[in-house]
Amino acid sequence: MRGPVEKVCEHCGQSFQCVGYQCWCGTLGITEQQMDWIAAQFTDCLCQICLGKVATGELGPRSSSIR
């Protein structure tokens, strides 16, 4: 992928820019279990806010309310 791509978060509907594997998402410390959960729930990326919630356990496999 070249350059930023405008995407829409599949969880909240917020627009954001994705720059591929060197994106901000690589710095959030998502676990393998969390990545598996994201892949099972969604077909594309999540925005920085929603992905941050996954990283902290507020959303996803460690939360009490999985989507």
Side-chain angles (χ1 to χ4, degrees):
M1 175 171 18
R2 291 180 170 226
V5 174
E6 191 72 21
K7 293 192 173 194
V8 175
C9 177
E10 288 192 34
H11 183 258
C12 73
Q14 178 70 33
S15 294
F16 67 98
Q17 286 192 345
C18 175
V19 293
Y21 294 109
Q22 300 302 318
C23 195
W24 48 263
C25 63
T27 65
L28 293 176
I30 301 294
T31 67
E32 188 174 333
Q33 180 186 19
Q34 291 167 328
M35 286 300 292
D36 290 345
W37 180 81
I38 292 168
Q41 299 295 315
F42 307 102
T43 59
D44 206 354
C45 302
L46 301 181
C47 70
Q48 191 168 9
I49 293 170
C50 291
L51 201 55
K53 289 179 180 180
V54 173
T56 62
E58 185 179 338
L59 177 67
R62 287 189 277 152
S63 71
S64 59
S65 61
I66 296 178
R67 187 172 188 248

